[in-house]
Amino acid sequence: MGRRKTSTALEGLRGDAPRAGMSISRIAAWSHNTRCPTAAAAFAGRVDLDNLLVGTTFEAEVGESPFMRQRGRLFEDRVRRDGYKDLVPILKDQLDFPSSEVQPLNLKDKYPPNTKGFELRATATKEWLERVLSGDRKAPDLIEGAVLGLDLGGFVAYFEADGIGVRTGPVIHGIEMKSWPQVDGRVDDPSKASEAMRQLGFYLHLLRVAVAELGEDPDVVSETGLLVTPKNIGLTPVGGTRALAREIALAEATIARLPRVADYAPLVAEGISFGPVAASNEAVAARLEHLASLTERLGTHYQTSCIGSCGLAKFCRAQRHADGDPHVCGTQVARFLPGVPTLSRAADLAKGASPTAEETKTGVAPFLALAGSLYAERAPMQPR
């Protein structure tokens, strides 16, 4: 599919729905539930599901606190201060940078923070990589705000890396900066560190692809990344290296499975669009009716991880609750009820209803009958 047709399909699928920028966090949110066709279509159409249902009872609760945003800006300023004075010792200690002065390049300050600026930064990043790979000793060995492009089947998405460092070889390292603290050498929230490492693995994979496209060996991109965070409650930077071979492989596999908008062109021709769901001038009931029709046409796959990763989670949970879907009780319950379509059916089996062939085949029916009989024996003994 050509770029013009791809663009037409993308615009048709999104319609007037809020547009989502492409980011690692958005890819991570999609990867939490790759079996949901509606979420895949929204990803392909770059639909911002977090803001799709604004003004309805299913509106998503999103956003970072102003305090954390301010802390993030202050930490970036601290790292950048006096020619990255606090970062240079970390590079030397953790990544074996030479003792000579580090030559930084800040692309964030050179271009506007918009789509055109990202395109220019992507070009500048490629030119910088060419200089590094050719052995140009005057090329900067620390670049902040590098932008790497990724062709997603008809349009190019741009991703901003916090930092890239290059030492003699060349050996290229990824650098991820986060404003949450390390207390006594430990990250205060292990899940944050894990997410940061997934992001860094993604950037390193894109770097390897960029190096290969320039005709050089992608192994010059190290599988070791550097995580830089504040020490304790202050803003003094500290850093530690991480081995990221697994995260790089995961990034490669994830990219290979990303939904492409070209796959949805036939549905767009049938009138499938998220636009009417976001129409704030329409009655809420009409918007939700359209969403119900759209999700029925595309299909959904609700699971508990959707609550923290998808803007449609409240809507889908309500739909599944109305249907008696076991998934509303969590993944463990759903796995305990193979072949049982609804919670009401599980209750019937617990009361001794005759099982179907599928329920007999999975073996769940005898367990529910036993649980029901034990509960019946125990229930009268419970205090009132």
Side-chain angles (χ1 to χ4, degrees):
M1 176 178 281
R3 288 191 180 275
R4 180 172 297 179
K5 288 185 178 180
T6 299
S7 178
T8 300
L10 188 151
E11 291 172 2
L13 188 59
R14 187 173 65 239
D16 293 328
R19 180 181 181 276
M22 190 59 66
S23 66
I24 306 302
S25 59
R26 184 161 182 261
I27 291 177
W30 168 81
S31 67
H32 277 290
N33 186 359
T34 59
R35 292 186 289 175
C36 179
T38 296
F43 182 94
R46 305 179 77 174
V47 177
D48 182 2
L49 292 181
D50 288 343
N51 290 294
L52 184 67
L53 294 176
V54 170
T56 75
T57 55
F58 301 115
E59 182 175 343
E61 298 171 3
V62 295
E64 186 181 35
S65 73
F67 169 77
M68 290 305 298
R69 287 197 296 270
Q70 177 66 11
R71 180 176 171 81
R73 287 192 290 268
L74 290 174
F75 183 61
E76 286 185 3
D77 291 342
R78 175 62 182 266
V79 171
R80 197 180 295 126
R81 190 176 65 182
D82 297 334
Y84 302 87
K85 182 182 68 175
D86 290 333
L87 180 61
V88 169
I90 297 174
L91 296 175
K92 293 177 179 178
D93 178 57
Q94 298 290 331
L95 297 180
D96 296 325
F97 268 57
S99 57
S100 58
E101 184 178 351
V102 171
Q103 302 179 66
L105 172 63
N106 182 359
L107 291 181
K108 279 187 175 180
D109 293 344
K110 293 176 67 69
Y111 301 101
N114 53 28
T115 301
K116 184 60 177 178
F118 265 60
E119 292 175 357
L120 293 171
R121 284 162 65 183
T123 300
T125 300
K126 182 178 179 181
E127 293 172 350
W128 170 79
L129 270 176
E130 289 177 322
R131 291 180 61 189
V132 166
L133 295 171
S134 68
D136 184 348
R137 294 185 177 274
K138 293 184 179 181
D141 45 17
L142 173 64
I143 180 171
E144 181 183 358
V147 171
L148 302 163
L150 174 64
D151 192 323
L152 291 179
F155 71 90
V156 178
Y158 295 101
F159 300 89
E160 179 187 38
D162 283 348
I164 302 172
V166 182
R167 61 182 173 87
T168 304
V171 180
I172 303 174
H173 293 275
I175 303 169
E176 186 73 11
M177 292 181 281
K178 296 297 183 182
S179 60
W180 34 260
Q182 289 192 41
V183 180
D184 297 329
R186 295 176 178 270
V187 175
D188 63 340
D189 184 346
S191 65
K192 293 179 181 178
S194 178
E195 184 65 28
M197 293 305 95
R198 283 196 292 269
Q199 292 180 8
L200 194 45
F202 194 97
Y203 297 132
L204 290 175
H205 171 65
L206 291 182
L207 269 171
R208 293 172 71 86
V209 171
V211 169
E213 289 176 348
L214 291 172
E216 300 292 340
D217 185 356
D219 286 341
V220 302
V221 179
S222 174
E223 293 180 344
T224 298
L226 177 67
L227 175 63
V228 179
T229 63
K231 181 179 180 180
N232 299 330
I233 61 173
L235 293 175
T236 302
V238 292
T241 56
R242 301 287 197 282
L244 298 172
R246 185 179 68 86
E247 285 78 6
I248 294 171
L250 178 62
E252 183 176 10
T254 300
I255 289 173
R257 302 197 315 270
L258 288 179
R260 265 55 174 180
V261 69
D263 298 334
Y264 295 90
L267 293 177
V268 173
E270 296 175 16
I272 294 294
S273 173
F274 287 86
V277 182
S280 57
N281 59 329
E282 295 290 337
V284 169
R287 294 170 60 190
L288 296 179
E289 183 178 347
H290 185 86
L291 179 58
S293 175
L294 185 149
T295 54
E296 183 178 354
R297 174 67 177 83
L298 294 175
T300 59
H301 183 84
Y302 176 79
Q303 57 190 37
T304 50
S305 65
C306 297
I307 296 296
S309 61
C310 180
L312 295 183
K314 290 182 179 180
F315 173 83
C316 290
R317 183 175 58 182
Q319 295 287 94
R320 299 291 78 76
H321 188 275
D323 295 339
D325 190 331
H327 282 91
V328 299
C329 295
T331 303
Q332 273 191 317
V333 172
R335 288 178 177 173
F336 183 74
L337 299 174
V340 180
T342 66
L343 292 172
S344 60
R345 178 57 184 166
D348 290 340
L349 290 170
K351 294 174 183 177
S354 299
T356 64
E358 179 66 20
E359 292 161 351
T360 302
K361 179 181 177 181
T362 62
V364 68
F367 284 104
L368 286 172
L370 176 60
S373 64
L374 291 174
Y375 179 80
E377 291 177 7
R378 180 67 176 167
M381 301 175 62
Q382 297 294 328
R384 298 186 179 182

